[in-house]
Amino acid sequence: MARDTTDIRSIETVDELVDYLAAGNKPRADWRIGTEHEKFPFYADGNSPVPYGGENGIKALLEGMQRVLGWEPIVDAGNIIGLVEPTGSGAISLEPGGQFELSGAPLETLHQTCREGNAHLAQLRQIAEPLGIRFLGLGGSPKWTLAETPKMPKSRYDIMTAYMPKVGRHGLDMMYRTCTIQVNLDFSSEADMRRKMQVSLKLQPLSTALFANSPFTEGKPNGLKSWRGEIWRDTDNQRSGLLPFCFSPEFGFADYVEWALDVPMYFIIRDGRYHDCTHVTFRQFMDGALRNSVPDGVPTMGDWANHLSTLFPDVRLKRFLEMRGADGGPWRRICALPAFWVGLLYDEAALDAAEALTANWSFEEVGAMRDAVPREGIDASFRGHSLREMAREVLAIAHMGLKNRNLRNHDGYDETSFLSPLDEVVARGTTSADEMIDAFHTRWGGSIEPVFLEYAY
């Protein structure tokens, strides 16, 4: 999230929080695709991490992007920490370890999404190459220790860095040493949201398996296909993972609100200052817990929006749905991830088929699949069949959905071509992680340094 919200409208009742989510309902004609992708910056000379400051640091990179794009700077305590397109259609932000993120504009087609990603990377290279900086498309930092990883001067991250070790083993690794590709998708009603939430929660482990791309840690194989997926198994389970209540046939906006109310907060912002609120839940905040300890300690809609952005379930509900299961990856994957989910969720026949396929999957079964995927990838099993077999069936549904959308580019091609990287995974039976592990033991000669050439932007 590039910029925290400062909406000062006061909150009087829980119903207003439910209404806030329900305001995301949109007619099908207004559904859009918002793609986010993160990558690790590194110095090409020595494959070392890029600090915030200095003539060739992240700050210089952001300032260069500002000159090229003309976007507005986002400033935190005097430091530029991101950029936002003046109309709000897209933003660039920093993750805690300097991971560089594009939060794409809400677009109508995957063709537009892919053009946006290509344009961003071209602009980024224009500024980064003279600084000696390149970018790595992986799900986990392959070389640097946590101590070697830079820290960005962002107030919310200071609060999170102090809090994470209290609630899980891998929170700091999640913050500083992972990257993802995500897509944000719309819904038309509470019932439509429910269907999409349930289907996508159940299939999120398959997404993790197909996009598995983080097999190295601190210069050697870590025994996993998706280290990032393993990290999310013990980051902060109060706010992360699968949500059992979402599997209910009656699940709705109010259920998500009730869960979110009882999750500890990270912060509130008053007069540009971040106040640590990790000792209270949002429900306690609404009951007056901060009234005497924080200036203007009365909850606002901005506080609620910011709180929702600090919840990390596998599928996150805001006024849209965020698909959060995939590792970051090479540029082709930036287009493949939204293609996978748009194909499944934005065509009625495809959503019907995906819902029928997953209808009787239990929370426990999906949880077991989620636990197995980081180590086993597409070789993990579900009900006696490998996820590779499942992927064939699910990708066939996604192909159908994109074909039914029938949205073509100037050359007459529909959106199905963007699924090609995933079709290749299923055809070969190997993920990007499998191929890197094989290369490490063969042509890379036991070194991870070649990853900085082969997986760089």
Side-chain angles (χ1 to χ4, degrees), residues 203-261:
L203 290 176
Q204 213 64 222
L206 178 63
S207 175
T208 303
L210 286 169
F211 287 84
N213 195 40
S214 46
F216 303 123
T217 307
E218 298 180 11
K220 59 184 182 296
N222 51 32
L224 302 162
K225 307 293 179 69
S226 175
W227 178 42
R228 178 183 174 276
E230 181 67 14
I231 284 169
W232 275 112
R233 293 183 62 235
D234 190 5
T235 287
D236 178 353
N237 289 331
Q238 292 182 92
R239 68 179 73 237
S240 306
L242 287 177
L243 304 178
F245 62 89
C246 291
F247 284 62
S248 167
E250 290 79 36
F251 166 66
F253 295 124
D255 300 291
Y256 195 89
V257 167
E258 289 296 323
W259 169 71
L261 281 168

Tab-separated table of all heavy atoms in Angstrom, residues 203-261:
chain	number	residue	atom	x	y	z
A	203	LEU	N	-8.389	-22.123	-3.632
A	203	LEU	CA	-7.411	-22.331	-4.700
A	203	LEU	C	-6.110	-21.565	-4.485
A	203	LEU	O	-5.179	-21.688	-5.285
A	203	LEU	CB	-8.020	-21.953	-6.054
A	203	LEU	CG	-9.112	-22.894	-6.571
A	203	LEU	CD1	-9.707	-22.360	-7.865
A	203	LEU	CD2	-8.557	-24.306	-6.792
A	204	GLN	N	-6.029	-20.778	-3.409
A	204	GLN	CA	-4.805	-20.015	-3.182
A	204	GLN	C	-3.572	-20.908	-3.022
A	204	GLN	O	-2.501	-20.573	-3.531
A	204	GLN	CB	-4.982	-19.095	-1.973
A	204	GLN	CG	-4.236	-17.784	-2.070
A	204	GLN	CD	-4.697	-16.879	-3.203
A	204	GLN	OE1	-3.877	-16.280	-3.880
A	204	GLN	NE2	-6.001	-16.792	-3.422
A	205	PRO	N	-3.650	-22.065	-2.336
A	205	PRO	CA	-2.471	-22.927	-2.280
A	205	PRO	C	-2.012	-23.408	-3.655
A	205	PRO	O	-0.803	-23.578	-3.877
A	205	PRO	CB	-2.931	-24.099	-1.409
A	205	PRO	CG	-4.030	-23.529	-0.566
A	205	PRO	CD	-4.743	-22.564	-1.465
A	206	LEU	N	-2.942	-23.621	-4.569
A	206	LEU	CA	-2.557	-23.997	-5.928
A	206	LEU	C	-1.797	-22.862	-6.599
A	206	LEU	O	-0.807	-23.090	-7.303
A	206	LEU	CB	-3.791	-24.373	-6.750
A	206	LEU	CG	-3.511	-24.731	-8.223
A	206	LEU	CD1	-2.621	-25.970	-8.325
A	206	LEU	CD2	-4.818	-24.940	-8.978
A	207	SER	N	-2.242	-21.638	-6.376
A	207	SER	CA	-1.527	-20.481	-6.905
A	207	SER	C	-0.109	-20.429	-6.345
A	207	SER	O	0.865	-20.200	-7.080
A	207	SER	CB	-2.287	-19.193	-6.559
A	207	SER	OG	-1.566	-18.053	-6.946
A	208	THR	N	0.029	-20.657	-5.038
A	208	THR	CA	1.362	-20.681	-4.434
A	208	THR	C	2.235	-21.737	-5.092
A	208	THR	O	3.421	-21.503	-5.371
A	208	THR	CB	1.260	-20.940	-2.921
A	208	THR	OG1	0.429	-19.942	-2.324
A	208	THR	CG2	2.627	-20.916	-2.261
A	209	ALA	N	1.666	-22.912	-5.354
A	209	ALA	CA	2.428	-23.996	-5.974
A	209	ALA	C	2.854	-23.638	-7.395
A	209	ALA	O	4.005	-23.846	-7.788
A	209	ALA	CB	1.600	-25.276	-5.973
A	210	LEU	N	1.933	-23.106	-8.195
A	210	LEU	CA	2.237	-22.781	-9.591
A	210	LEU	C	3.281	-21.677	-9.702
A	210	LEU	O	4.096	-21.668	-10.631
A	210	LEU	CB	0.958	-22.358	-10.318
A	210	LEU	CG	-0.032	-23.464	-10.665
A	210	LEU	CD1	-1.356	-22.859	-11.128
A	210	LEU	CD2	0.541	-24.380	-11.752
A	211	PHE	N	3.266	-20.740	-8.766
A	211	PHE	CA	4.179	-19.597	-8.813
A	211	PHE	C	5.379	-19.776	-7.880
A	211	PHE	O	6.107	-18.813	-7.639
A	211	PHE	CB	3.422	-18.315	-8.470
A	211	PHE	CG	2.507	-17.841	-9.566
A	211	PHE	CD1	1.224	-18.351	-9.690
A	211	PHE	CD2	2.935	-16.904	-10.492
A	211	PHE	CE1	0.378	-17.929	-10.710
A	211	PHE	CE2	2.103	-16.467	-11.512
A	211	PHE	CZ	0.814	-16.983	-11.622
A	212	ALA	N	5.594	-21.001	-7.368
A	212	ALA	CA	6.688	-21.244	-6.418
A	212	ALA	C	8.024	-20.798	-7.009
A	212	ALA	O	8.440	-21.285	-8.058
A	212	ALA	CB	6.738	-22.721	-6.049
A	213	ASN	N	8.697	-19.880	-6.303
A	213	ASN	CA	9.854	-19.221	-6.905
A	213	ASN	C	10.797	-18.656	-5.846
A	213	ASN	O	11.376	-17.602	-6.026
A	213	ASN	CB	9.350	-18.091	-7.831
A	213	ASN	CG	10.409	-17.573	-8.773
A	213	ASN	OD1	11.196	-18.333	-9.318
A	213	ASN	ND2	10.438	-16.267	-8.956
A	214	SER	N	10.947	-19.399	-4.728
A	214	SER	CA	11.845	-18.914	-3.665
A	214	SER	C	12.556	-20.082	-2.982
A	214	SER	O	12.357	-20.338	-1.799
A	214	SER	CB	11.074	-18.072	-2.647
A	214	SER	OG	9.852	-18.684	-2.258
A	215	PRO	N	13.447	-20.788	-3.733
A	215	PRO	CA	14.088	-21.978	-3.181
A	215	PRO	C	15.431	-21.732	-2.504
A	215	PRO	O	16.061	-22.693	-2.053
A	215	PRO	CB	14.295	-22.845	-4.428
A	215	PRO	CG	14.573	-21.845	-5.517
A	215	PRO	CD	13.716	-20.637	-5.183
A	216	PHE	N	15.879	-20.464	-2.447
A	216	PHE	CA	17.189	-20.171	-1.867
A	216	PHE	C	17.069	-19.185	-0.707
A	216	PHE	O	16.262	-18.257	-0.748
A	216	PHE	CB	18.130	-19.563	-2.912
A	216	PHE	CG	18.323	-20.412	-4.138
A	216	PHE	CD1	18.031	-19.901	-5.405
A	216	PHE	CD2	18.807	-21.705	-4.043
A	216	PHE	CE1	18.207	-20.674	-6.531
A	216	PHE	CE2	18.992	-22.486	-5.178
A	216	PHE	CZ	18.688	-21.970	-6.424
A	217	THR	N	17.908	-19.381	0.303
A	217	THR	CA	18.027	-18.439	1.414
A	217	THR	C	19.496	-18.352	1.806
A	217	THR	O	20.157	-19.387	1.984
A	217	THR	CB	17.210	-18.902	2.633
A	217	THR	OG1	15.859	-19.155	2.234
A	217	THR	CG2	17.201	-17.837	3.718
A	218	GLU	N	20.003	-17.134	1.893
A	218	GLU	CA	21.370	-16.886	2.331
A	218	GLU	C	22.388	-17.714	1.559
A	218	GLU	O	23.324	-18.302	2.112
A	218	GLU	CB	21.484	-17.081	3.848
A	218	GLU	CG	20.590	-16.094	4.600
A	218	GLU	CD	20.645	-16.227	6.111
A	218	GLU	OE1	21.534	-16.945	6.615
A	218	GLU	OE2	19.790	-15.614	6.785
A	219	GLY	N	22.173	-17.778	0.228
A	219	GLY	CA	23.171	-18.336	-0.668
A	219	GLY	C	23.123	-19.825	-0.905
A	219	GLY	O	23.996	-20.373	-1.589
A	220	LYS	N	22.082	-20.503	-0.393
A	220	LYS	CA	22.017	-21.952	-0.603
A	220	LYS	C	20.563	-22.412	-0.644
A	220	LYS	O	19.658	-21.699	-0.189
A	220	LYS	CB	22.774	-22.688	0.497
A	220	LYS	CG	22.277	-22.425	1.903
A	220	LYS	CD	23.151	-23.129	2.923
A	220	LYS	CE	22.648	-22.935	4.348
A	220	LYS	NZ	22.702	-21.528	4.790
A	221	PRO	N	20.317	-23.613	-1.188
A	221	PRO	CA	18.952	-24.134	-1.195
A	221	PRO	C	18.402	-24.252	0.219
A	221	PRO	O	19.116	-24.641	1.147
A	221	PRO	CB	19.104	-25.511	-1.861
A	221	PRO	CG	20.339	-25.404	-2.691
A	221	PRO	CD	21.261	-24.504	-1.905
A	222	ASN	N	17.125	-23.898	0.361
A	222	ASN	CA	16.510	-23.918	1.688
A	222	ASN	C	15.614	-25.137	1.906
A	222	ASN	O	14.942	-25.239	2.933
A	222	ASN	CB	15.714	-22.626	1.928
A	222	ASN	CG	14.736	-22.319	0.803
A	222	ASN	OD1	14.198	-23.232	0.170
A	222	ASN	ND2	14.515	-21.041	0.532
A	223	GLY	N	15.581	-26.054	0.916
A	223	GLY	CA	14.754	-27.251	1.045
A	223	GLY	C	13.295	-27.035	0.711
A	223	GLY	O	12.468	-27.925	0.917
A	224	LEU	N	12.962	-25.850	0.199
A	224	LEU	CA	11.577	-25.493	-0.091
A	224	LEU	C	11.433	-25.085	-1.557
A	224	LEU	O	12.405	-24.710	-2.214
A	224	LEU	CB	11.133	-24.336	0.806
A	224	LEU	CG	11.220	-24.578	2.318
A	224	LEU	CD1	11.189	-23.251	3.064
A	224	LEU	CD2	10.070	-25.472	2.771
A	225	LYS	N	10.211	-25.157	-2.045
A	225	LYS	CA	9.910	-24.600	-3.362
A	225	LYS	C	9.471	-23.141	-3.213
A	225	LYS	O	9.820	-22.295	-4.032
A	225	LYS	CB	8.796	-25.407	-4.042
A	225	LYS	CG	9.045	-26.907	-4.118
A	225	LYS	CD	10.188	-27.258	-5.033
A	225	LYS	CE	10.410	-28.773	-5.053
A	225	LYS	NZ	9.310	-29.516	-5.726
A	226	SER	N	8.689	-22.881	-2.173
A	226	SER	CA	8.256	-21.512	-1.881
A	226	SER	C	8.590	-21.186	-0.430
A	226	SER	O	7.804	-21.466	0.481
A	226	SER	CB	6.749	-21.332	-2.127
A	226	SER	OG	6.331	-20.033	-1.726
A	227	TRP	N	9.766	-20.615	-0.234
A	227	TRP	CA	10.134	-20.136	1.102
A	227	TRP	C	9.135	-19.082	1.558
A	227	TRP	O	8.739	-19.043	2.726
A	227	TRP	CB	11.553	-19.567	1.058
A	227	TRP	CG	12.052	-19.005	2.349
A	227	TRP	CD1	11.890	-19.533	3.600
A	227	TRP	CD2	12.815	-17.808	2.518
A	227	TRP	NE1	12.515	-18.727	4.541
A	227	TRP	CE2	13.090	-17.663	3.892
A	227	TRP	CE3	13.311	-16.841	1.639
A	227	TRP	CZ2	13.812	-16.595	4.411
A	227	TRP	CZ3	14.039	-15.780	2.151
A	227	TRP	CH2	14.288	-15.659	3.519
A	228	ARG	N	8.706	-18.246	0.622
A	228	ARG	CA	7.707	-17.238	0.966
A	228	ARG	C	6.433	-17.900	1.511
A	228	ARG	O	5.853	-17.439	2.503
A	228	ARG	CB	7.376	-16.378	-0.252
A	228	ARG	CG	6.305	-15.332	0.002
A	228	ARG	CD	5.958	-14.554	-1.265
A	228	ARG	NE	4.842	-13.662	-1.001
A	228	ARG	CZ	3.561	-14.016	-1.044
A	228	ARG	NH1	3.239	-15.260	-1.375
A	228	ARG	NH2	2.607	-13.142	-0.777
A	229	GLY	N	5.967	-18.976	0.881
A	229	GLY	CA	4.792	-19.679	1.379
A	229	GLY	C	4.999	-20.225	2.779
A	229	GLY	O	4.088	-20.195	3.613
A	230	GLU	N	6.194	-20.719	3.062
A	230	GLU	CA	6.509	-21.228	4.398
A	230	GLU	C	6.525	-20.100	5.419
A	230	GLU	O	6.036	-20.258	6.549
A	230	GLU	CB	7.863	-21.938	4.372
A	230	GLU	CG	8.288	-22.536	5.695
A	230	GLU	CD	7.433	-23.704	6.163
A	230	GLU	OE1	6.641	-24.254	5.348
A	230	GLU	OE2	7.531	-24.070	7.347
A	231	ILE	N	7.073	-18.965	5.040
A	231	ILE	CA	7.112	-17.817	5.934
A	231	ILE	C	5.713	-17.434	6.395
A	231	ILE	O	5.484	-17.142	7.574
A	231	ILE	CB	7.817	-16.633	5.234
A	231	ILE	CG1	9.333	-16.859	5.224
A	231	ILE	CG2	7.469	-15.297	5.891
A	231	ILE	CD1	10.101	-15.892	4.337
A	232	TRP	N	4.754	-17.460	5.472
A	232	TRP	CA	3.398	-17.054	5.816
A	232	TRP	C	2.683	-18.065	6.717
A	232	TRP	O	1.621	-17.766	7.261
A	232	TRP	CB	2.572	-16.806	4.557
A	232	TRP	CG	2.772	-15.426	4.033
A	232	TRP	CD1	3.385	-15.043	2.874
A	232	TRP	CD2	2.347	-14.197	4.655
A	232	TRP	NE1	3.380	-13.668	2.740
A	232	TRP	CE2	2.760	-13.129	3.816
A	232	TRP	CE3	1.685	-13.902	5.848
A	232	TRP	CZ2	2.500	-11.794	4.142
A	232	TRP	CZ3	1.435	-12.576	6.164
A	232	TRP	CH2	1.843	-11.540	5.314
A	233	ARG	N	3.266	-19.239	6.933
A	233	ARG	CA	2.660	-20.205	7.841
A	233	ARG	C	2.870	-19.817	9.308
A	233	ARG	O	2.175	-20.328	10.183
A	233	ARG	CB	3.222	-21.604	7.581
A	233	ARG	CG	2.811	-22.175	6.225
A	233	ARG	CD	3.341	-23.602	6.026
A	233	ARG	NE	2.774	-24.486	7.026
A	233	ARG	CZ	3.499	-25.252	7.849
A	233	ARG	NH1	4.819	-25.220	7.805
A	233	ARG	NH2	2.900	-26.038	8.720
A	234	ASP	N	3.856	-18.929	9.573
A	234	ASP	CA	4.076	-18.502	10.958
A	234	ASP	C	4.618	-17.072	10.974
A	234	ASP	O	5.761	-16.832	11.331
A	234	ASP	CB	5.046	-19.452	11.667
A	234	ASP	CG	5.116	-19.204	13.174
A	234	ASP	OD1	4.344	-18.361	13.675
A	234	ASP	OD2	5.939	-19.852	13.844
A	235	THR	N	3.782	-16.162	10.533
A	235	THR	CA	4.139	-14.747	10.559
A	235	THR	C	3.374	-14.041	11.674
A	235	THR	O	3.947	-13.504	12.604
A	235	THR	CB	3.872	-14.090	9.200
A	235	THR	OG1	4.873	-14.537	8.272
A	235	THR	CG2	3.930	-12.574	9.274
A	236	ASP	N	2.081	-14.038	11.590
A	236	ASP	CA	1.205	-13.500	12.640
A	236	ASP	C	-0.161	-14.110	12.373
A	236	ASP	O	-0.965	-13.558	11.626
A	236	ASP	CB	1.158	-11.975	12.581
A	236	ASP	CG	0.214	-11.369	13.626
A	236	ASP	OD1	-0.492	-12.141	14.296
A	236	ASP	OD2	0.175	-10.134	13.752
A	237	ASN	N	-0.396	-15.269	12.959
A	237	ASN	CA	-1.580	-16.038	12.598
A	237	ASN	C	-2.881	-15.440	13.108
A	237	ASN	O	-3.963	-15.926	12.766
A	237	ASN	CB	-1.423	-17.485	13.063
A	237	ASN	CG	-0.380	-18.218	12.239
A	237	ASN	OD1	-0.174	-17.904	11.066
A	237	ASN	ND2	0.307	-19.177	12.833
A	238	GLN	N	-2.805	-14.383	13.918
A	238	GLN	CA	-4.037	-13.674	14.272
A	238	GLN	C	-4.607	-12.923	13.074
A	238	GLN	O	-5.807	-12.669	13.013
A	238	GLN	CB	-3.765	-12.664	15.392
A	238	GLN	CG	-3.415	-13.263	16.732
A	238	GLN	CD	-3.201	-12.184	17.777
A	238	GLN	OE1	-4.125	-11.798	18.493
A	238	GLN	NE2	-1.984	-11.680	17.866
A	239	ARG	N	-3.733	-12.538	12.142
A	239	ARG	CA	-4.177	-11.699	11.028
A	239	ARG	C	-3.863	-12.310	9.671
A	239	ARG	O	-4.017	-11.652	8.653
A	239	ARG	CB	-3.538	-10.313	11.138
A	239	ARG	CG	-2.048	-10.254	10.920
A	239	ARG	CD	-1.507	-8.829	11.022
A	239	ARG	NE	-1.483	-8.349	12.378
A	239	ARG	CZ	-2.116	-7.229	12.791
A	239	ARG	NH1	-2.782	-6.486	11.937
A	239	ARG	NH2	-2.060	-6.863	14.044
A	240	SER	N	-3.386	-13.560	9.636
A	240	SER	CA	-2.880	-14.145	8.397
A	240	SER	C	-3.534	-15.492	8.112
A	240	SER	O	-4.213	-16.067	8.950
A	240	SER	CB	-1.360	-14.340	8.492
A	240	SER	OG	-0.710	-13.154	8.841
A	241	GLY	N	-3.282	-15.996	6.899
A	241	GLY	CA	-3.633	-17.365	6.561
A	241	GLY	C	-5.055	-17.558	6.078
A	241	GLY	O	-5.679	-16.671	5.494
A	242	LEU	N	-5.565	-18.773	6.319
A	242	LEU	CA	-6.940	-19.116	5.967
A	242	LEU	C	-7.887	-18.616	7.058
A	242	LEU	O	-7.540	-18.630	8.238
A	242	LEU	CB	-7.098	-20.627	5.843
A	242	LEU	CG	-6.493	-21.318	4.624
A	242	LEU	CD1	-6.694	-22.829	4.745
A	242	LEU	CD2	-7.122	-20.814	3.333
A	243	LEU	N	-9.082	-18.230	6.651
A	243	LEU	CA	-10.077	-17.750	7.603
A	243	LEU	C	-11.229	-18.747	7.635
A	243	LEU	O	-12.018	-18.821	6.692
A	243	LEU	CB	-10.580	-16.365	7.186
A	243	LEU	CG	-9.501	-15.293	7.023
A	243	LEU	CD1	-10.122	-13.974	6.563
A	243	LEU	CD2	-8.742	-15.093	8.328
A	244	PRO	N	-11.368	-19.525	8.713
A	244	PRO	CA	-12.377	-20.591	8.723
A	244	PRO	C	-13.796	-20.087	8.539
A	244	PRO	O	-14.617	-20.744	7.892
A	244	PRO	CB	-12.177	-21.261	10.088
A	244	PRO	CG	-11.372	-20.298	10.895
A	244	PRO	CD	-10.551	-19.517	9.939
A	245	PHE	N	-14.121	-18.910	9.081
A	245	PHE	CA	-15.499	-18.420	8.977
A	245	PHE	C	-15.878	-18.078	7.539
A	245	PHE	O	-17.061	-18.034	7.200
A	245	PHE	CB	-15.700	-17.203	9.887
A	245	PHE	CG	-14.831	-16.015	9.546
A	245	PHE	CD1	-15.258	-15.064	8.634
A	245	PHE	CD2	-13.593	-15.856	10.150
A	245	PHE	CE1	-14.464	-13.963	8.321
A	245	PHE	CE2	-12.787	-14.765	9.851
A	245	PHE	CZ	-13.222	-13.823	8.919
A	246	CYS	N	-14.885	-17.859	6.676
A	246	CYS	CA	-15.180	-17.561	5.267
A	246	CYS	C	-15.722	-18.770	4.519
A	246	CYS	O	-16.291	-18.624	3.430
A	246	CYS	CB	-13.937	-17.046	4.555
A	246	CYS	SG	-13.390	-15.422	5.094
A	247	PHE	N	-15.548	-19.965	5.079
A	247	PHE	CA	-16.033	-21.179	4.432
A	247	PHE	C	-17.525	-21.392	4.667
A	247	PHE	O	-18.132	-22.271	4.072
A	247	PHE	CB	-15.241	-22.391	4.935
A	247	PHE	CG	-13.862	-22.519	4.345
A	247	PHE	CD1	-12.906	-21.538	4.539
A	247	PHE	CD2	-13.516	-23.631	3.592
A	247	PHE	CE1	-11.633	-21.647	4.001
A	247	PHE	CE2	-12.245	-23.760	3.046
A	247	PHE	CZ	-11.296	-22.763	3.247
A	248	SER	N	-18.131	-20.602	5.526
A	248	SER	CA	-19.549	-20.758	5.852
A	248	SER	C	-20.434	-20.344	4.679
A	248	SER	O	-20.153	-19.350	4.001
A	248	SER	CB	-19.907	-19.900	7.063
A	248	SER	OG	-21.301	-19.791	7.220
A	249	PRO	N	-21.535	-21.064	4.449
A	249	PRO	CA	-22.468	-20.673	3.378
A	249	PRO	C	-23.104	-19.309	3.626
A	249	PRO	O	-23.606	-18.687	2.689
A	249	PRO	CB	-23.540	-21.777	3.410
A	249	PRO	CG	-22.911	-22.921	4.123
A	249	PRO	CD	-21.930	-22.335	5.083
A	250	GLU	N	-23.079	-18.836	4.864
A	250	GLU	CA	-23.686	-17.541	5.197
A	250	GLU	C	-22.653	-16.421	5.322
A	250	GLU	O	-22.989	-15.300	5.706
A	250	GLU	CB	-24.449	-17.634	6.528
A	250	GLU	CG	-25.728	-18.462	6.471
A	250	GLU	CD	-25.445	-19.955	6.529
A	250	GLU	OE1	-24.498	-20.355	7.242
A	250	GLU	OE2	-26.151	-20.717	5.839
A	251	PHE	N	-21.406	-16.691	4.982
A	251	PHE	CA	-20.363	-15.681	5.144
A	251	PHE	C	-20.721	-14.380	4.433
A	251	PHE	O	-21.217	-14.378	3.307
A	251	PHE	CB	-19.028	-16.216	4.594
A	251	PHE	CG	-17.990	-15.154	4.399
A	251	PHE	CD1	-17.448	-14.481	5.493
A	251	PHE	CD2	-17.575	-14.786	3.127
A	251	PHE	CE1	-16.501	-13.486	5.312
A	251	PHE	CE2	-16.628	-13.799	2.938
A	251	PHE	CZ	-16.085	-13.140	4.032
A	252	GLY	N	-20.470	-13.245	5.099
A	252	GLY	CA	-20.744	-11.954	4.494
A	252	GLY	C	-19.849	-10.871	5.052
A	252	GLY	O	-18.947	-11.123	5.866
A	253	PHE	N	-20.089	-9.646	4.633
A	253	PHE	CA	-19.260	-8.516	5.046
A	253	PHE	C	-19.186	-8.392	6.570
A	253	PHE	O	-18.120	-8.106	7.134
A	253	PHE	CB	-19.825	-7.208	4.471
A	253	PHE	CG	-19.778	-7.111	2.971
A	253	PHE	CD1	-20.945	-6.864	2.248
A	253	PHE	CD2	-18.576	-7.237	2.286
A	253	PHE	CE1	-20.907	-6.763	0.868
A	253	PHE	CE2	-18.537	-7.129	0.903
A	253	PHE	CZ	-19.708	-6.893	0.186
A	254	ALA	N	-20.311	-8.599	7.238
A	254	ALA	CA	-20.332	-8.435	8.693
A	254	ALA	C	-19.409	-9.420	9.396
A	254	ALA	O	-18.804	-9.091	10.425
A	254	ALA	CB	-21.761	-8.582	9.219
A	255	ASP	N	-19.274	-10.621	8.865
A	255	ASP	CA	-18.390	-11.616	9.475
A	255	ASP	C	-16.934	-11.168	9.385
A	255	ASP	O	-16.161	-11.337	10.337
A	255	ASP	CB	-18.572	-12.970	8.784
A	255	ASP	CG	-19.988	-13.487	8.892
A	255	ASP	OD1	-20.398	-13.849	10.004
A	255	ASP	OD2	-20.692	-13.498	7.868
A	256	TYR	N	-16.562	-10.630	8.240
A	256	TYR	CA	-15.187	-10.149	8.090
A	256	TYR	C	-14.922	-8.980	9.031
A	256	TYR	O	-13.865	-8.894	9.654
A	256	TYR	CB	-14.945	-9.739	6.636
A	256	TYR	CG	-13.485	-9.577	6.278
A	256	TYR	CD1	-12.735	-10.666	5.819
A	256	TYR	CD2	-12.843	-8.354	6.392
A	256	TYR	CE1	-11.386	-10.525	5.481
A	256	TYR	CE2	-11.503	-8.204	6.064
A	256	TYR	CZ	-10.777	-9.292	5.606
A	256	TYR	OH	-9.446	-9.140	5.268
A	257	VAL	N	-15.909	-8.101	9.169
A	257	VAL	CA	-15.768	-6.966	10.082
A	257	VAL	C	-15.585	-7.453	11.510
A	257	VAL	O	-14.705	-6.964	12.249
A	257	VAL	CB	-16.984	-6.025	9.962
A	257	VAL	CG1	-17.021	-5.028	11.122
A	257	VAL	CG2	-16.959	-5.289	8.630
A	258	GLU	N	-16.391	-8.422	11.945
A	258	GLU	CA	-16.289	-8.920	13.317
A	258	GLU	C	-14.910	-9.526	13.575
A	258	GLU	O	-14.351	-9.369	14.669
A	258	GLU	CB	-17.391	-9.951	13.588
A	258	GLU	CG	-18.784	-9.343	13.692
A	258	GLU	CD	-18.909	-8.387	14.879
A	258	GLU	OE1	-18.312	-8.661	15.942
A	258	GLU	OE2	-19.603	-7.353	14.741
A	259	TRP	N	-14.370	-10.236	12.580
A	259	TRP	CA	-13.013	-10.765	12.728
A	259	TRP	C	-11.991	-9.630	12.815
A	259	TRP	O	-11.150	-9.605	13.715
A	259	TRP	CB	-12.688	-11.682	11.544
A	259	TRP	CG	-11.240	-12.064	11.463
A	259	TRP	CD1	-10.559	-12.905	12.309
A	259	TRP	CD2	-10.273	-11.600	10.510
A	259	TRP	NE1	-9.235	-12.996	11.924
A	259	TRP	CE2	-9.036	-12.213	10.820
A	259	TRP	CE3	-10.350	-10.743	9.407
A	259	TRP	CZ2	-7.875	-11.973	10.072
A	259	TRP	CZ3	-9.201	-10.510	8.659
A	259	TRP	CH2	-7.980	-11.120	8.997
A	260	ALA	N	-12.090	-8.678	11.888
A	260	ALA	CA	-11.121	-7.582	11.832
A	260	ALA	C	-11.136	-6.742	13.100
A	260	ALA	O	-10.094	-6.234	13.538
A	260	ALA	CB	-11.396	-6.707	10.609
A	261	LEU	N	-12.296	-6.590	13.709
A	261	LEU	CA	-12.403	-5.791	14.927
A	261	LEU	C	-11.556	-6.351	16.069
A	261	LEU	O	-11.081	-5.596	16.930
A	261	LEU	CB	-13.867	-5.711	15.374
A	261	LEU	CG	-14.750	-4.718	14.635
A	261	LEU	CD1	-16.222	-4.953	14.981
A	261	LEU	CD2	-14.352	-3.280	14.968
